[in-house]
Each structure stands twice: as structure tokens, then as C-alpha cells.
Amino acid sequence: MAIKRLENLFKVCFLLSTTLILVQNGFILSLFAVYGIWRVTQKPFQHFTAWIFGGTLAASILFILALHPPLTSDFQTLFQTARDIITHNFSYQSSTYFSLWAYQTAFVVWEAFWLLLWDNPVCIELVGAVLTAGTACLLYRLSRQWVSERSAQTASLLLAVCPLFATFHTLLTNQIPSAFFLTLALWLLACSDCNRLGFLRFPLAGLALQAGNLLRNEGVIFLTAILAWSVFHLVRHPREIRRMGTGMIVLLTVYFSVHAGASASIRASGLNPYGLQNGNPLWKFVTGLSYEANGGYSDEDWSRIAATLDEHRQTTAETDALQKQMITERLTAEPSIMIRHIRNKLRSQWVSDGLSWVFADFSMQHPFFYGLIKQFDRGIFFIALGLFSYGLSDKKRWENRPQAARLPYFIFFAAFCAFLLVEVQPRYAYLPQLYVFTGATFGIERLREEKNHA
């Protein structure tokens, strides 16, 4: 008996020592987290929609209390402009930022609306917390119709513990409300929860889609995904071409009409004489093809282009000619240079974490824990990405799934292709990463079924 107790004591001490070593690495912690979630969801939770909303909202509020990212860069510009609108100070209209990229005015109006209720950045953060929880619910409701409850709940919990998703609302970024409305559009269009809406789901989806696009102009990614889905759907169900075709026409009509109406309203209200136009659409391509900046913002590029703007800070023929020349030169570079550039952009967009903005102060005060969080974030994402890919390779199961189940893959791939050409930052991956986690449900489902049949 004594020797057994001694052996058991040694085993406990040994496991404790190895555990203490392992938990010093965030990637290992992400494996522990995934395993824990897998075990917890062996049986599905009842009323999970309420649980995921309440739990995500509570955690989001705690992060608002714990993290205080500084207002810098575009976040500061947009927030201050929202305050200026409230005080009827329209001096921002003379800036290059709002004359050239007038579409940013929509998000400024969004912030100004909430600041009218409480003139404090925390107000916008709280709105972001609610919308983050709402996005988690909508993604869960979408995925649960394609896979079992257990798999959908497992993927939802993986998303909930992902640091980027859990903390990003503490930034005053337009990505949070935009992602909510874009996801709402998909829920209206493709979720069985909305079957009672009938044909009405198409115009409502178009409205929600444009709402998300007005806040951050990423609607084209979702439009591409939705059109790809409709093509796949019609190939399998050609008899529905009249309903689906009419629905897509109505969706697009609402989508573009709402944008035109919103732009006209901005002009008429005097908030911006340029409405919501993008005064320099080529700039994102110039930036995205900047080899020196790895597809990010380049001061040197901007200095060259800014020198060609007219007195109203609008592009000229010289601006367009210069930008087209820069784009052509970069697209026709040696293949080795282009390959290296693409590799650098992929690392920046998908391999690097987007937490530096959120944890700017925390990283200086607690560098060790910040390193763990960064590793944990990437570990959770890479696991989700692996499950995402693993689920798509299961041909047999896809034969019985609706074509709408491919929407997460279409969204990710559309974003992946777009970011090969335009400007990248690690935080720009926030939106497509949401759908990586949603699509991870298919990999989780496949693993669970294979485990049950083993």
C-alpha cells in the first residue's frame, strides 16, 4: 500500500510539473480549452441561444471594465467627428479624410446617435457588447440548422473564447456593428427561423446588408457569397429559378436603393456635400500592392498621391494616372517579388493576431500574459480553421445539406481573394474569421460522427 501511495504521489507531482510548463504557452492552453469545450458539449445545452447571448454579453461588459484601449488613429478621428456633429461643428468637412472618403460619414452618424444618449466612449462600447452577443446568437442559429445541436454549440463556444471576438468591441471600430447587420442579413435570408417571412426575407435581407455596408463597406463580400450560393442552389433546384431570381433582383434593388437614399440624405442634411461616395477607390489597391509596406498603409505612397489632389481635396486626372501607373508597375513585377508579397500579406492578414489595438496598454503592463493571450488567440483560430477545412472535405455528408450551408465558405473565400489585392491589417480579418468558426461546425460534426462509428 505504501509503495502505491508513493507512486500515486509521484504521478501527481509529475503531472503538476509538466502542466506548469505547458500552461506557459498559449497554444497549449488553446488545446486545453478546445478539449474542455468538447467535453462540456457531449450533451447539448437547453436554451442555448439565451445562454450564449447572456454569457457573451456578460463577458463583453467585463472586458469593457478591464480593458481601456486608447483612442488613436482613425478611431479617434471618427469619434471626435461624431462629437463635432452633436455640437454642430462641421469643420471636419474641410479635411481630406471626409472629403475623399465621404462614406465614413455613415459610421460617424451612427456614433453620434449613441453619443446623444450618453456622451462617453463607454456608451459605444456597450452597444458593441450587445451587438457582439447578438452576432454570436445569429451565427449559432444559422449553424444549428446544418449540423447537430452539439456541434453548433461547440463551435459557438470556440468563438466565444476567441480573444479577438471577445474583446474587439472595446475598440470604437465600425467592424462590430457592420458584422452584426451583415450577419443579420444572412440570418434573414438563409435561416429556417425566418421561413415564416416568405418572400419578404429578400427585401429585409437587402436592407440589413446595406446597413452593414454603410457602416463598413464590406457588403460586396457578402453579395458575392450570396450570389454564389444562389447559383449553387439553382443548379440543384432549377425549378426555383423564378423565385430565386426574383428574390435576388429585389434584394439587389433594395440594397442599392438604400445606399443611394442614404447618400442623398447625407448631402441634403449638410453633413457631407459628397454624400457617401468613395472619392478614391484606387487607393486601396495602391496600398494593397505596396511591397515595402507588405500590403499595408504607406506614407510614401500617400505623399505622392496627396500632391496630385485639387484644392477641394478631390482626385484629378493626374491622381488617377499616377495610381494606375503604380498599380500596373506592381502587378507586372517579377513573379518572385509578387509571390513574396502575397506570402507577406497572408502572414499579416491571417497568421498575425489583431489584438495589438485592444491590448495596447495591457501589453506594456503585462507583457507575459499578453504573449499568452496572443498565442491562445492564434491557437483557437488555427484549430477552427483546420476544422473548417476538414468539414468541407466530407463529400458524402454535403450531398444531404442545403446549399446555404456553403455560405461560410463562400464568405471566407470571397474575403480571402479580395484581400490579396487590397490593403490588409490583422484586424481586418475579424469579419471572415467569424465565418471560419461558424464553418468549423462541419469539421466538429464530422469528428463526432467518426468517433461514434469507431
Side-chain angles (χ1 to χ4, degrees):
M1 286 293 293
I3 189 64
K4 281 189 175 182
R5 289 177 180 175
L6 191 60
E7 287 177 350
N8 289 335
L9 177 61
F10 173 74
K11 289 178 182 178
V12 170
C13 292
F14 177 78
L15 289 174
L16 179 61
S17 65
T18 55
T19 301
L20 288 174
I21 295 172
L22 291 173
V23 297
Q24 304 303 307
N25 185 282
F27 291 109
I28 301 299
L29 287 176
S30 68
L31 291 175
F32 287 165
V34 171
Y35 178 75
I37 291 171
W38 178 277
R39 298 293 299 175
V40 165
T41 53
Q42 289 298 311
K43 292 184 179 180
F45 290 90
Q46 298 295 319
H47 311 296
F48 187 77
T49 302
W51 280 109
I52 194 65
F53 181 85
T56 304
L57 180 59
S60 298
I61 293 174
L62 288 176
F63 283 122
I64 290 174
L65 297 175
L67 298 173
H68 307 285
L71 267 175
T72 58
S73 189
D74 288 5
F75 308 122
Q76 171 66 29
T77 300
L78 295 168
F79 180 76
Q80 185 56 54
T81 304
R83 277 184 162 168
D84 289 342
I85 287 177
I86 293 175
T87 58
H88 303 286
N89 176 7
F90 301 113
S91 59
Y92 64 89
Q93 294 181 3
S94 61
S95 70
T96 302
Y97 191 90
F98 285 100
S99 59
L100 202 55
W101 295 291
Y103 60 83
Q104 295 281 23
T105 309
F107 180 66
V108 169
V109 171
W110 165 270
E111 286 194 316
F113 171 80
W114 295 110
L115 291 177
L116 283 171
L117 302 180
W118 180 24
D119 187 6
N120 192 303
V122 175
C123 178
I124 299 173
E125 292 178 20
L126 289 172
V127 173
V130 174
L131 295 182
T132 296
T135 300
C137 285
L138 292 173
L139 291 172
Y140 163 66
R141 299 301 298 182
L142 275 168
S143 62
R144 71 189 291 269
Q145 65 185 332
W146 302 325
V147 296
S148 66
E149 282 286 351
R150 288 192 307 166
S151 298
Q153 291 178 9
T154 302
S156 295
L157 291 176
L158 284 179
L159 175 62
V161 301
C162 177
L164 182 65
F165 176 77
T167 64
F168 208 47
H169 63 282
T170 60
L171 280 181
L172 304 191
T173 172
N174 55 7
Q175 292 169 266
I176 299 297
S178 176
F180 171 78
F181 284 107
L182 292 173
T183 302
L184 177 64
L186 282 195
W187 178 74
L188 288 165
L189 191 63
C191 188
S192 57
D193 294 343
C194 302
N195 285 345
R196 292 183 179 180
L197 292 174
F199 191 79
L200 188 60
R201 68 197 312 169
F202 289 100
L204 290 176
L207 178 62
L209 201 63
Q210 186 55 253
N213 184 69
L214 289 173
L215 292 168
R216 182 176 178 82
N217 57 345
E218 293 181 327
V220 65
I221 292 173
F222 277 64
L223 277 181
T224 302
I226 289 170
L227 292 174
W229 159 58
S230 65
V231 170
F232 274 71
H233 181 82
L234 290 175
V235 168
R236 182 178 287 188
H237 306 286
R239 293 183 179 180
E240 295 187 22
I241 187 169
R242 176 176 295 180
R243 178 180 180 277
M244 181 65 78
T246 305
M248 287 297 114
I249 291 172
V250 170
L251 183 151
L252 292 172
T253 300
V254 172
Y255 179 86
F256 289 108
S257 297
V258 169
H259 187 277
S263 186
S265 297
I266 292 293
R267 286 192 182 93
S269 66
L271 291 174
N272 196 317
Y274 299 104
L276 296 174
Q277 75 175 21
N278 181 352
N280 189 12
L282 291 177
W283 166 245
K284 285 290 184 181
F285 294 95
V286 171
T287 305
L289 293 169
S290 173
Y291 300 139
E292 293 76 13
N294 295 329
Y297 175 82
S298 169
D299 283 324
E300 182 180 348
D301 285 349
W302 174 245
S303 296
R304 293 178 63 188
I305 291 167
T308 67
L309 301 178
D310 65 18
E311 66 274 14
H312 302 294
R313 295 158 302 284
Q314 295 294 295
T315 58
T316 62
E318 183 183 357
T319 308
D320 292 339
L322 174 61
Q323 292 184 136
K324 290 176 181 177
Q325 177 189 350
M326 295 169 72
I327 292 171
T328 301
E329 288 176 353
R330 292 168 181 181
L331 284 175
T332 56
E334 295 180 7
S336 60
I337 296 176
M338 180 61 74
I339 291 171
R340 184 166 58 251
H341 179 62
I342 291 174
R343 183 190 64 197
N344 291 337
K345 289 191 72 173
L346 291 178
R347 286 179 177 175
S348 176
Q349 183 74 356
W350 303 106
V351 180
S352 300
D353 65 272
L355 298 174
S356 59
W357 293 96
V358 176
F359 290 88
D361 290 341
F362 183 90
S363 63
M364 293 185 290
Q365 298 168 3
H366 310 283
F368 171 74
F369 290 108
Y370 176 58
L372 279 182
I373 293 169
K374 288 174 63 177
Q375 292 174 343
F376 182 84
D377 177 83
R378 290 299 83 193
I380 289 289
F381 169 69
F382 292 142
I383 291 170
L385 185 62
L387 292 168
F388 188 48
S389 303
Y390 187 62
L392 184 62
S393 63
D394 187 8
K395 182 183 293 187
K396 182 177 179 181
R397 291 175 178 83
W398 278 99
E399 292 176 355
N400 299 319
R401 287 184 180 134
Q403 295 304 308
R406 298 181 185 271
L407 279 167
Y409 293 96
F410 291 148
I411 290 170
F412 171 80
F413 188 67
F416 178 86
C417 293
F419 284 121
L420 289 177
L421 293 174
V422 300
E423 179 189 359
V424 297
Q425 286 189 37
R427 67 183 181 91
Y428 290 175
Y430 174 80
L431 180 63
Q433 279 190 28
L434 296 179
Y435 289 89
V436 169
F437 282 92
T438 303
T441 56
F442 303 115
I444 295 168
E445 181 84 340
R446 184 179 179 185
L447 283 178
R448 288 198 183 277
E449 291 182 0
E450 290 176 351
K451 180 177 179 294
N452 291 336
H453 292 133

